[in-house]
Amino acid sequence: MEVLLSQVAGTLVTLFPITNPIGAIPIFYTLTEGDTPKFQRKQALSTAINVALILCAFFVLGQFILSFFGITLGALQIAGGLIVSHTAWEMVVVQKRLTDREHQEAMAMEDISFTPMAMPLVSGPGAIGVVIGMAAHSRGWPREVGVVLGIVLLSLILYFLLALGEPIVKRLGRNGLGVLNRVLGFFVLAIGVQLMVHGILDLLRQNAPSLLR
């Protein structure tokens, strides 16, 4: 039970800053502007479900994906670290998470729960890479179930933030959300660097074990 709870907490702590549900709130309400509160809650629930399904699917298929493409865990961690670090930099300098063209297309869509909200805004390449890495590291049912439960818990938090997030946006304002985004970006950058360090060490262990003795 201790291993299970530890894995749940670790998964949530790792994925929360990368997926950045708080940063998704203003985008969600911009894209659903003019919709009824009931429809907004429905879109929030669909987004949360899609995020859970996407991340769980890549977790379950993680080992197969690595084997099929012949990718080593070290290489995946380095690539994931680069993507996560790039995402963190965008958060720190407050760059748009959607291009103007993507934003215009999303505004014209009736259902935004899968794209752009779930993919690529929340469960983007960085989160997917981290989840695949978790699949390679998780051994035994307590850890595997813990990762899945962590993803489900993250999706529940995402739902409540999106469904009840309008007062948060109004209270914090653009400046408050910007500051919070920068703080989360710092932690995401640290996660990206850590991933790259783990990846380099894994490659060294595989290709030059004598250097680490």
Side-chain angles (χ1 to χ4, degrees):
M1 182 61 69
E2 184 177 348
V3 174
L4 176 65
L5 294 177
S6 176
Q7 190 67 53
V8 172
T11 301
L12 181 62
V13 169
T14 301
L15 287 178
F16 188 88
I18 296 174
T19 54
N20 192 14
I22 296 174
I25 296 173
I27 299 174
F28 176 77
Y29 280 96
T30 298
L31 296 179
T32 58
E33 187 177 7
D35 294 326
T36 64
K38 181 179 179 181
F39 185 76
Q40 287 176 332
R41 289 193 295 271
K42 182 179 178 181
Q43 288 286 283
L45 179 60
S46 297
T47 299
I49 292 173
N50 285 328
V51 167
L53 291 176
I54 290 169
L55 294 182
C56 284
F58 276 99
F59 175 69
V60 172
L61 298 174
Q63 288 281 23
F64 172 76
I65 293 172
L66 291 178
S67 299
F68 182 81
F69 289 103
I71 302 172
T72 64
L73 180 59
L76 176 75
Q77 289 175 321
I78 294 173
L82 289 171
I83 293 174
V84 170
S85 297
H86 176 70
T87 302
W89 179 252
E90 290 181 337
M91 293 169 66
V92 171
V93 300
V94 197
Q95 289 186 4
K96 294 180 180 179
R97 297 175 71 180
L98 288 177
T99 65
D100 291 336
R101 183 175 180 179
E102 289 172 336
H103 183 82
Q104 291 173 1
E105 290 180 355
M107 290 292 292
M109 296 172 63
E110 182 177 351
D111 187 351
I112 60 166
S113 60
F114 184 79
T115 180
M117 286 306 302
M119 171 104 52
L121 278 178
V122 180
S123 51
I128 290 172
V130 169
V131 165
I132 294 176
M134 288 179 179
H137 278 297
S138 300
R139 292 290 183 270
W141 73 266
R143 295 186 182 279
E144 293 172 351
V145 173
V147 172
V148 172
L149 291 178
I151 292 172
V152 171
L153 183 57
L154 171 71
S155 299
L156 286 174
I157 294 173
L158 172 65
Y159 166 70
F160 284 113
L161 286 174
L162 294 181
L164 308 173
E166 194 168 17
I168 298 176
V169 174
K170 291 179 179 178
R171 190 171 186 83
L172 290 177
R174 292 288 179 180
N175 290 335
L177 287 171
V179 171
L180 189 57
N181 220 38
R182 289 186 181 94
V183 172
L184 284 174
F186 173 77
F187 290 107
V188 174
L189 183 59
I191 292 172
V193 172
Q194 190 67 52
L195 281 171
M196 285 188 282
V197 169
H198 283 313
I200 292 170
L201 290 176
D202 280 343
L203 289 178
L204 286 174
R205 290 190 189 98
Q206 292 173 7
N207 299 316
S210 60
L211 296 177
L212 299 178
R213 290 176 183 172

